[in-house]
Amino acid sequence: MVTTSILPENFILDWFDLNQRSFPWRASGGEPPNTYWVWLSEIMLQQTNTTTVQPYFLNFIQKWPTIYDLAGAELDQVLHAWQGLGYYARARNLHKCAKIIVEEFNGEFPEDEKQLLGLPGIGPYTAAAITAIAFELSATPVDGNVERVMARLNNVTKPLPLVKKELIALAKISTPRKRFGDYAQALMDLGATVCVPKKPKCSICPCRSICIGFKAGTPEDLPRRSPKKLMPTRHAKIYFMRNHQNQLFIRRREEKGLLGGMMELPSSEWSVKHFNELDESSLTLGMVKWKQIPNKVKHTFTHFHLEMQVFEGVVEEGTELTGVWCNLRDLNKYAFPSLMKKVLKHSISYLKL
Ligand code: SF4
């Protein structure tokens, strides 16, 4: 069990005062933080970098300046504005959470970390970040950046994920008794700009004099990681199906599960089986003479790669299907995940539509 840690607070806070990054969601000039902005940015920043998030954040606060506005929006509008950020469960949970905050908490986020953890889309990192940054209360958000800084400062040589708990404990021990929000953001900034994954900039680091990893000589090797398991590849057939008015058949995915609530083209199961063995028993598409579009569409999710073979065809008149017949020029009115956008682009460009 970890009992001591390097205590870098003064080095890091002094450095932060001079070098902090400026983001539209960050309070500046002594203003109090805007809790809605802190929460919104932290949800967007899960699995996404700050450069990508900034225009989305600005668009959201322009469209929905308060949590009341966001709670009153249609889920479809939120999913549409989220397009391109990926991991769409975040957008659904964001909307759900906004409604709960408005309906059950009078529009104010609870200040208690445990209560925050009970809200949709808020995990331990986000709850700690909101507690520290928005409410200036003691909490230690630990993400990949902070893990890396802690592993190097303390020269922790055991590999992740085995050593995750130890790194969290080290981060907690090193959290100061003041300026909780600044310290959390300072660690994020240090990890993102100085103690970067490859070639850490130790020569300009405020912690160089106390960093055991630097003294040991190979901080860039830390944190070590256990070898990754190979990700499986799944296969699917997907159908670009038009009617005689040149409208495309699209439909909404189930609310629960991967890409839940997003629009899609109909497809077979996504399976590790070979293309010829895929189960299509639940697929009802009417009478169509399918033609295969050359080359596959490839996409990688967190836990698997996906290869899709696209088929195109025109359905016979009078076929009843549950979904939407969409004019091609109106496709941008719907929220499609990146995978489906790739399929659409691939098909439209092959068919020269
Ligand atoms: Fe990271 Fe180098 Fe600073 Fe240590 S001295 S915290 S390894 S940048």
Side-chain angles (χ1 to χ4, degrees), residues 53-90:
V53 162
Q54 287 197 54
Y56 284 91
F57 174 83
L58 291 171
N59 185 37
F60 264 66
I61 58 166
Q62 193 193 10
K63 272 193 162 71
W64 302 296
T66 68
I67 194 146
Y68 289 94
D69 300 312
L70 184 59
E74 293 295 325
L75 175 60
D76 242 12
Q77 294 174 296
V78 177
L79 288 171
H80 198 261
W82 195 271
Q83 269 190 104
L85 267 185
Y87 301 98
Y88 290 87
R90 289 184 297 167

mmCIF file of all heavy atoms in Angstrom, residues 53-90:
data_model
loop_
_atom_site.group_PDB
_atom_site.id
_atom_site.type_symbol
_atom_site.label_atom_id
_atom_site.label_comp_id
_atom_site.label_asym_id
_atom_site.label_seq_id
_atom_site.Cartn_x
_atom_site.Cartn_y
_atom_site.Cartn_z
ATOM 1 N N VAL A 53 -12.617 19.147 -29.047
ATOM 2 C CA VAL A 53 -13.793 19.500 -28.238
ATOM 3 C C VAL A 53 -14.183 20.976 -28.356
ATOM 4 O O VAL A 53 -15.378 21.301 -28.353
ATOM 5 C CB VAL A 53 -13.536 19.120 -26.749
ATOM 6 C CG1 VAL A 53 -14.490 19.845 -25.807
ATOM 7 C CG2 VAL A 53 -13.668 17.612 -26.560
ATOM 8 N N GLN A 54 -13.204 21.857 -28.515
ATOM 9 C CA GLN A 54 -13.508 23.298 -28.414
ATOM 10 C C GLN A 54 -14.653 23.762 -29.318
ATOM 11 O O GLN A 54 -15.597 24.394 -28.833
ATOM 12 C CB GLN A 54 -12.260 24.124 -28.671
ATOM 13 C CG GLN A 54 -11.312 24.023 -27.486
ATOM 14 C CD GLN A 54 -10.245 25.107 -27.475
ATOM 15 O OE1 GLN A 54 -10.556 26.288 -27.545
ATOM 16 N NE2 GLN A 54 -9.001 24.693 -27.387
ATOM 17 N N PRO A 55 -14.650 23.492 -30.647
ATOM 18 C CA PRO A 55 -15.781 23.968 -31.453
ATOM 19 C C PRO A 55 -17.116 23.346 -31.042
ATOM 20 O O PRO A 55 -18.162 24.005 -31.116
ATOM 21 C CB PRO A 55 -15.403 23.556 -32.887
ATOM 22 C CG PRO A 55 -14.282 22.587 -32.766
ATOM 23 C CD PRO A 55 -13.619 22.857 -31.456
ATOM 24 N N TYR A 56 -17.103 22.093 -30.608
ATOM 25 C CA TYR A 56 -18.350 21.450 -30.161
ATOM 26 C C TYR A 56 -18.873 22.152 -28.904
ATOM 27 O O TYR A 56 -20.057 22.420 -28.758
ATOM 28 C CB TYR A 56 -18.125 19.962 -29.859
ATOM 29 C CG TYR A 56 -18.029 19.125 -31.102
ATOM 30 C CD1 TYR A 56 -16.807 18.887 -31.712
ATOM 31 C CD2 TYR A 56 -19.163 18.569 -31.683
ATOM 32 C CE1 TYR A 56 -16.718 18.126 -32.866
ATOM 33 C CE2 TYR A 56 -19.090 17.799 -32.826
ATOM 34 C CZ TYR A 56 -17.860 17.590 -33.412
ATOM 35 O OH TYR A 56 -17.774 16.832 -34.551
ATOM 36 N N PHE A 57 -17.942 22.428 -27.993
ATOM 37 C CA PHE A 57 -18.344 23.089 -26.749
ATOM 38 C C PHE A 57 -18.977 24.447 -27.056
ATOM 39 O O PHE A 57 -20.059 24.779 -26.552
ATOM 40 C CB PHE A 57 -17.113 23.249 -25.843
ATOM 41 C CG PHE A 57 -17.402 24.036 -24.602
ATOM 42 C CD1 PHE A 57 -17.974 23.440 -23.486
ATOM 43 C CD2 PHE A 57 -17.125 25.400 -24.541
ATOM 44 C CE1 PHE A 57 -18.275 24.170 -22.350
ATOM 45 C CE2 PHE A 57 -17.415 26.145 -23.412
ATOM 46 C CZ PHE A 57 -17.989 25.526 -22.310
ATOM 47 N N LEU A 58 -18.322 25.229 -27.925
ATOM 48 C CA LEU A 58 -18.829 26.565 -28.248
ATOM 49 C C LEU A 58 -20.197 26.482 -28.923
ATOM 50 O O LEU A 58 -21.102 27.265 -28.640
ATOM 51 C CB LEU A 58 -17.827 27.304 -29.148
ATOM 52 C CG LEU A 58 -16.512 27.683 -28.440
ATOM 53 C CD1 LEU A 58 -15.490 28.204 -29.431
ATOM 54 C CD2 LEU A 58 -16.764 28.711 -27.339
ATOM 55 N N ASN A 59 -20.350 25.490 -29.797
ATOM 56 C CA ASN A 59 -21.637 25.302 -30.472
ATOM 57 C C ASN A 59 -22.738 24.956 -29.464
ATOM 58 O O ASN A 59 -23.845 25.490 -29.522
ATOM 59 C CB ASN A 59 -21.480 24.194 -31.527
ATOM 60 C CG ASN A 59 -22.730 24.019 -32.340
ATOM 61 O OD1 ASN A 59 -23.410 24.986 -32.667
ATOM 62 N ND2 ASN A 59 -23.074 22.779 -32.644
ATOM 63 N N PHE A 60 -22.411 24.060 -28.519
ATOM 64 C CA PHE A 60 -23.405 23.661 -27.517
ATOM 65 C C PHE A 60 -23.833 24.849 -26.662
ATOM 66 O O PHE A 60 -25.018 25.049 -26.419
ATOM 67 C CB PHE A 60 -22.851 22.534 -26.621
ATOM 68 C CG PHE A 60 -23.258 21.161 -27.060
ATOM 69 C CD1 PHE A 60 -22.816 20.639 -28.269
ATOM 70 C CD2 PHE A 60 -24.088 20.364 -26.276
ATOM 71 C CE1 PHE A 60 -23.184 19.370 -28.682
ATOM 72 C CE2 PHE A 60 -24.473 19.090 -26.689
ATOM 73 C CZ PHE A 60 -24.019 18.596 -27.886
ATOM 74 N N ILE A 61 -22.854 25.643 -26.195
ATOM 75 C CA ILE A 61 -23.278 26.720 -25.272
ATOM 76 C C ILE A 61 -23.952 27.855 -26.033
ATOM 77 O O ILE A 61 -24.684 28.638 -25.461
ATOM 78 C CB ILE A 61 -22.130 27.252 -24.372
ATOM 79 C CG1 ILE A 61 -20.973 27.787 -25.212
ATOM 80 C CG2 ILE A 61 -21.672 26.213 -23.389
ATOM 81 C CD1 ILE A 61 -20.000 28.617 -24.385
ATOM 82 N N GLN A 62 -23.711 27.907 -27.343
ATOM 83 C CA GLN A 62 -24.452 28.901 -28.134
ATOM 84 C C GLN A 62 -25.899 28.422 -28.325
ATOM 85 O O GLN A 62 -26.850 29.162 -28.160
ATOM 86 C CB GLN A 62 -23.762 29.095 -29.476
ATOM 87 C CG GLN A 62 -24.277 30.317 -30.183
ATOM 88 C CD GLN A 62 -23.855 30.355 -31.634
ATOM 89 O OE1 GLN A 62 -23.320 29.381 -32.188
ATOM 90 N NE2 GLN A 62 -24.078 31.471 -32.269
ATOM 91 N N LYS A 63 -26.036 27.138 -28.660
ATOM 92 C CA LYS A 63 -27.386 26.576 -28.872
ATOM 93 C C LYS A 63 -28.164 26.479 -27.569
ATOM 94 O O LYS A 63 -29.353 26.736 -27.513
ATOM 95 C CB LYS A 63 -27.253 25.143 -29.422
ATOM 96 C CG LYS A 63 -27.160 25.027 -30.912
ATOM 97 C CD LYS A 63 -27.360 23.541 -31.267
ATOM 98 C CE LYS A 63 -27.720 23.323 -32.683
ATOM 99 N NZ LYS A 63 -26.669 23.550 -33.644
ATOM 100 N N TRP A 64 -27.471 26.022 -26.516
ATOM 101 C CA TRP A 64 -28.111 25.771 -25.223
ATOM 102 C C TRP A 64 -27.296 26.463 -24.131
ATOM 103 O O TRP A 64 -26.450 25.825 -23.474
ATOM 104 C CB TRP A 64 -28.197 24.259 -24.978
ATOM 105 C CG TRP A 64 -28.961 23.560 -26.070
ATOM 106 C CD1 TRP A 64 -30.270 23.724 -26.387
ATOM 107 C CD2 TRP A 64 -28.434 22.596 -27.021
ATOM 108 N NE1 TRP A 64 -30.607 22.932 -27.462
ATOM 109 C CE2 TRP A 64 -29.508 22.222 -27.866
ATOM 110 C CE3 TRP A 64 -27.188 22.005 -27.221
ATOM 111 C CZ2 TRP A 64 -29.355 21.299 -28.908
ATOM 112 C CZ3 TRP A 64 -27.033 21.088 -28.249
ATOM 113 C CH2 TRP A 64 -28.111 20.744 -29.080
ATOM 114 N N PRO A 65 -27.544 27.767 -23.920
ATOM 115 C CA PRO A 65 -26.686 28.531 -22.999
ATOM 116 C C PRO A 65 -26.768 28.081 -21.538
ATOM 117 O O PRO A 65 -25.852 28.345 -20.771
ATOM 118 C CB PRO A 65 -27.213 29.972 -23.135
ATOM 119 C CG PRO A 65 -28.024 29.996 -24.384
ATOM 120 C CD PRO A 65 -28.543 28.608 -24.598
ATOM 121 N N THR A 66 -27.861 27.427 -21.162
ATOM 122 C CA THR A 66 -27.973 26.980 -19.763
ATOM 123 C C THR A 66 -28.387 25.514 -19.748
ATOM 124 O O THR A 66 -28.842 24.972 -20.758
ATOM 125 C CB THR A 66 -29.057 27.770 -18.992
ATOM 126 O OG1 THR A 66 -30.334 27.400 -19.565
ATOM 127 C CG2 THR A 66 -28.850 29.269 -19.121
ATOM 128 N N ILE A 67 -28.287 24.928 -18.583
ATOM 129 C CA ILE A 67 -28.685 23.520 -18.460
ATOM 130 C C ILE A 67 -30.196 23.367 -18.695
ATOM 131 O O ILE A 67 -30.643 22.318 -19.185
ATOM 132 C CB ILE A 67 -28.245 22.932 -17.103
ATOM 133 C CG1 ILE A 67 -28.362 21.418 -17.153
ATOM 134 C CG2 ILE A 67 -29.037 23.491 -15.936
ATOM 135 C CD1 ILE A 67 -27.363 20.680 -16.382
ATOM 136 N N TYR A 68 -30.953 24.418 -18.422
ATOM 137 C CA TYR A 68 -32.399 24.365 -18.683
ATOM 138 C C TYR A 68 -32.653 24.242 -20.194
ATOM 139 O O TYR A 68 -33.526 23.495 -20.630
ATOM 140 C CB TYR A 68 -33.088 25.628 -18.150
ATOM 141 C CG TYR A 68 -33.138 25.672 -16.647
ATOM 142 C CD1 TYR A 68 -32.143 26.336 -15.932
ATOM 143 C CD2 TYR A 68 -34.158 25.038 -15.948
ATOM 144 C CE1 TYR A 68 -32.174 26.370 -14.545
ATOM 145 C CE2 TYR A 68 -34.192 25.072 -14.554
ATOM 146 C CZ TYR A 68 -33.199 25.731 -13.866
ATOM 147 O OH TYR A 68 -33.229 25.759 -12.501
ATOM 148 N N ASP A 69 -31.859 25.003 -20.975
ATOM 149 C CA ASP A 69 -32.022 24.937 -22.437
ATOM 150 C C ASP A 69 -31.678 23.537 -22.944
ATOM 151 O O ASP A 69 -32.379 22.984 -23.793
ATOM 152 C CB ASP A 69 -31.107 25.962 -23.121
ATOM 153 C CG ASP A 69 -31.427 27.375 -22.667
ATOM 154 O OD1 ASP A 69 -32.607 27.724 -22.657
ATOM 155 O OD2 ASP A 69 -30.484 28.102 -22.307
ATOM 156 N N LEU A 70 -30.601 22.975 -22.407
ATOM 157 C CA LEU A 70 -30.177 21.644 -22.861
ATOM 158 C C LEU A 70 -31.213 20.581 -22.465
ATOM 159 O O LEU A 70 -31.553 19.697 -23.259
ATOM 160 C CB LEU A 70 -28.797 21.299 -22.267
ATOM 161 C CG LEU A 70 -28.171 19.995 -22.719
ATOM 162 C CD1 LEU A 70 -27.971 19.960 -24.231
ATOM 163 C CD2 LEU A 70 -26.825 19.768 -22.033
ATOM 164 N N ALA A 71 -31.731 20.716 -21.247
ATOM 165 C CA ALA A 71 -32.735 19.749 -20.783
ATOM 166 C C ALA A 71 -34.004 19.834 -21.635
ATOM 167 O O ALA A 71 -34.691 18.836 -21.843
ATOM 168 C CB ALA A 71 -33.068 20.003 -19.315
ATOM 169 N N GLY A 72 -34.295 21.025 -22.161
ATOM 170 C CA GLY A 72 -35.511 21.210 -22.952
ATOM 171 C C GLY A 72 -35.345 20.833 -24.416
ATOM 172 O O GLY A 72 -36.328 20.819 -25.167
ATOM 173 N N ALA A 73 -34.104 20.523 -24.837
ATOM 174 C CA ALA A 73 -33.861 20.173 -26.243
ATOM 175 C C ALA A 73 -34.353 18.756 -26.525
ATOM 176 O O ALA A 73 -34.486 17.936 -25.609
ATOM 177 C CB ALA A 73 -32.370 20.258 -26.536
ATOM 178 N N GLU A 74 -34.621 18.467 -27.805
ATOM 179 C CA GLU A 74 -34.952 17.088 -28.213
ATOM 180 C C GLU A 74 -33.643 16.291 -28.245
ATOM 181 O O GLU A 74 -32.596 16.823 -28.642
ATOM 182 C CB GLU A 74 -35.543 17.088 -29.626
ATOM 183 C CG GLU A 74 -36.897 17.747 -29.746
ATOM 184 C CD GLU A 74 -37.971 16.992 -28.984
ATOM 185 O OE1 GLU A 74 -37.906 15.748 -28.945
ATOM 186 O OE2 GLU A 74 -38.846 17.650 -28.401
ATOM 187 N N LEU A 75 -33.730 15.006 -27.878
ATOM 188 C CA LEU A 75 -32.531 14.156 -27.909
ATOM 189 C C LEU A 75 -31.894 14.156 -29.311
ATOM 190 O O LEU A 75 -30.677 14.198 -29.451
ATOM 191 C CB LEU A 75 -32.885 12.726 -27.485
ATOM 192 C CG LEU A 75 -31.742 11.713 -27.594
ATOM 193 C CD1 LEU A 75 -30.558 12.101 -26.723
ATOM 194 C CD2 LEU A 75 -32.204 10.301 -27.242
ATOM 195 N N ASP A 76 -32.741 14.153 -30.312
ATOM 196 C CA ASP A 76 -32.242 14.138 -31.693
ATOM 197 C C ASP A 76 -31.371 15.347 -32.007
ATOM 198 O O ASP A 76 -30.364 15.238 -32.694
ATOM 199 C CB ASP A 76 -33.436 14.144 -32.655
ATOM 200 C CG ASP A 76 -33.445 12.889 -33.484
ATOM 201 O OD1 ASP A 76 -32.687 11.969 -33.131
ATOM 202 O OD2 ASP A 76 -34.189 12.842 -34.478
ATOM 203 N N GLN A 77 -31.786 16.514 -31.493
ATOM 204 C CA GLN A 77 -31.002 17.737 -31.723
ATOM 205 C C GLN A 77 -29.635 17.606 -31.047
ATOM 206 O O GLN A 77 -28.619 18.015 -31.608
ATOM 207 C CB GLN A 77 -31.722 18.953 -31.110
ATOM 208 C CG GLN A 77 -33.046 19.307 -31.755
ATOM 209 C CD GLN A 77 -33.716 20.428 -30.976
ATOM 210 O OE1 GLN A 77 -34.076 20.275 -29.817
ATOM 211 N NE2 GLN A 77 -33.859 21.569 -31.607
ATOM 212 N N VAL A 78 -29.637 17.023 -29.852
ATOM 213 C CA VAL A 78 -28.376 16.876 -29.121
ATOM 214 C C VAL A 78 -27.464 15.889 -29.858
ATOM 215 O O VAL A 78 -26.273 16.146 -30.056
ATOM 216 C CB VAL A 78 -28.648 16.406 -27.666
ATOM 217 C CG1 VAL A 78 -27.342 16.171 -26.917
ATOM 218 C CG2 VAL A 78 -29.497 17.433 -26.934
ATOM 219 N N LEU A 79 -28.045 14.769 -30.297
ATOM 220 C CA LEU A 79 -27.247 13.775 -31.035
ATOM 221 C C LEU A 79 -26.700 14.387 -32.316
ATOM 222 O O LEU A 79 -25.566 14.127 -32.722
ATOM 223 C CB LEU A 79 -28.096 12.538 -31.364
ATOM 224 C CG LEU A 79 -28.439 11.622 -30.195
ATOM 225 C CD1 LEU A 79 -29.453 10.576 -30.622
ATOM 226 C CD2 LEU A 79 -27.204 10.942 -29.643
ATOM 227 N N HIS A 80 -27.503 15.211 -32.941
ATOM 228 C CA HIS A 80 -27.086 15.839 -34.188
ATOM 229 C C HIS A 80 -25.901 16.771 -33.939
ATOM 230 O O HIS A 80 -24.918 16.769 -34.679
ATOM 231 C CB HIS A 80 -28.264 16.609 -34.791
ATOM 232 C CG HIS A 80 -28.084 16.915 -36.229
ATOM 233 N ND1 HIS A 80 -27.651 18.142 -36.658
ATOM 234 C CD2 HIS A 80 -28.221 16.161 -37.344
ATOM 235 C CE1 HIS A 80 -27.544 18.121 -37.976
ATOM 236 N NE2 HIS A 80 -27.892 16.929 -38.413
ATOM 237 N N ALA A 81 -25.985 17.564 -32.864
ATOM 238 C CA ALA A 81 -24.892 18.496 -32.544
ATOM 239 C C ALA A 81 -23.646 17.743 -32.097
ATOM 240 O O ALA A 81 -22.538 18.263 -32.158
ATOM 241 C CB ALA A 81 -25.343 19.466 -31.457
ATOM 242 N N TRP A 82 -23.837 16.502 -31.646
ATOM 243 C CA TRP A 82 -22.719 15.689 -31.139
ATOM 244 C C TRP A 82 -21.992 14.964 -32.279
ATOM 245 O O TRP A 82 -20.901 14.457 -32.106
ATOM 246 C CB TRP A 82 -23.271 14.661 -30.135
ATOM 247 C CG TRP A 82 -22.231 14.005 -29.289
ATOM 248 C CD1 TRP A 82 -21.535 12.863 -29.575
ATOM 249 C CD2 TRP A 82 -21.769 14.433 -28.004
ATOM 250 N NE1 TRP A 82 -20.680 12.547 -28.553
ATOM 251 C CE2 TRP A 82 -20.812 13.502 -27.578
ATOM 252 C CE3 TRP A 82 -22.076 15.510 -27.174
ATOM 253 C CZ2 TRP A 82 -20.149 13.619 -26.343
ATOM 254 C CZ3 TRP A 82 -21.423 15.619 -25.957
ATOM 255 C CH2 TRP A 82 -20.475 14.682 -25.561
ATOM 256 N N GLN A 83 -22.603 14.933 -33.438
ATOM 257 C CA GLN A 83 -22.050 14.169 -34.571
ATOM 258 C C GLN A 83 -20.580 14.445 -34.779
ATOM 259 O O GLN A 83 -20.186 15.607 -34.905
ATOM 260 C CB GLN A 83 -22.746 14.587 -35.855
ATOM 261 C CG GLN A 83 -23.953 13.760 -36.172
ATOM 262 C CD GLN A 83 -24.431 14.083 -37.574
ATOM 263 O OE1 GLN A 83 -24.211 13.316 -38.493
ATOM 264 N NE2 GLN A 83 -25.070 15.200 -37.719
ATOM 265 N N GLY A 84 -19.776 13.387 -34.854
ATOM 266 C CA GLY A 84 -18.347 13.545 -35.084
ATOM 267 C C GLY A 84 -17.537 13.439 -33.801
ATOM 268 O O GLY A 84 -16.338 13.179 -33.849
ATOM 269 N N LEU A 85 -18.176 13.598 -32.636
ATOM 270 C CA LEU A 85 -17.433 13.455 -31.375
ATOM 271 C C LEU A 85 -17.301 11.996 -30.949
ATOM 272 O O LEU A 85 -16.462 11.670 -30.123
ATOM 273 C CB LEU A 85 -18.127 14.230 -30.247
ATOM 274 C CG LEU A 85 -17.677 15.663 -29.973
ATOM 275 C CD1 LEU A 85 -18.392 16.222 -28.749
ATOM 276 C CD2 LEU A 85 -16.174 15.737 -29.728
ATOM 277 N N GLY A 86 -18.156 11.133 -31.507
ATOM 278 C CA GLY A 86 -18.066 9.701 -31.199
ATOM 279 C C GLY A 86 -18.593 9.352 -29.807
ATOM 280 O O GLY A 86 -18.991 10.223 -29.047
ATOM 281 N N TYR A 87 -18.568 8.060 -29.499
ATOM 282 C CA TYR A 87 -19.032 7.548 -28.200
ATOM 283 C C TYR A 87 -20.369 8.209 -27.834
ATOM 284 O O TYR A 87 -20.475 8.988 -26.885
ATOM 285 C CB TYR A 87 -17.996 7.798 -27.104
ATOM 286 C CG TYR A 87 -16.666 7.153 -27.392
ATOM 287 C CD1 TYR A 87 -15.619 7.880 -27.936
ATOM 288 C CD2 TYR A 87 -16.463 5.794 -27.136
ATOM 289 C CE1 TYR A 87 -14.412 7.287 -28.225
ATOM 290 C CE2 TYR A 87 -15.255 5.187 -27.418
ATOM 291 C CZ TYR A 87 -14.224 5.939 -27.959
ATOM 292 O OH TYR A 87 -13.029 5.348 -28.241
ATOM 293 N N TYR A 88 -21.390 7.901 -28.628
ATOM 294 C CA TYR A 88 -22.659 8.624 -28.551
ATOM 295 C C TYR A 88 -23.438 8.382 -27.263
ATOM 296 O O TYR A 88 -24.341 9.137 -26.938
ATOM 297 C CB TYR A 88 -23.520 8.297 -29.783
ATOM 298 C CG TYR A 88 -22.917 8.919 -31.009
ATOM 299 C CD1 TYR A 88 -21.953 8.261 -31.751
ATOM 300 C CD2 TYR A 88 -23.270 10.202 -31.395
ATOM 301 C CE1 TYR A 88 -21.352 8.850 -32.849
ATOM 302 C CE2 TYR A 88 -22.688 10.802 -32.478
ATOM 303 C CZ TYR A 88 -21.736 10.117 -33.211
ATOM 304 O OH TYR A 88 -21.139 10.716 -34.281
ATOM 305 N N ALA A 89 -23.054 7.332 -26.525
ATOM 306 C CA ALA A 89 -23.714 7.136 -25.229
ATOM 307 C C ALA A 89 -23.497 8.374 -24.373
ATOM 308 O O ALA A 89 -24.335 8.732 -23.539
ATOM 309 C CB ALA A 89 -23.142 5.903 -24.539
ATOM 310 N N ARG A 90 -22.373 9.065 -24.594
ATOM 311 C CA ARG A 90 -22.103 10.282 -23.820
ATOM 312 C C ARG A 90 -23.174 11.334 -24.084
ATOM 313 O O ARG A 90 -23.607 12.035 -23.176
ATOM 314 C CB ARG A 90 -20.735 10.869 -24.210
ATOM 315 C CG ARG A 90 -19.569 10.050 -23.735
ATOM 316 C CD ARG A 90 -18.262 10.736 -24.069
ATOM 317 N NE ARG A 90 -18.029 10.886 -25.496
ATOM 318 C CZ ARG A 90 -17.090 11.666 -26.020
ATOM 319 N NH1 ARG A 90 -16.328 12.391 -25.242
ATOM 320 N NH2 ARG A 90 -16.926 11.740 -27.321
#
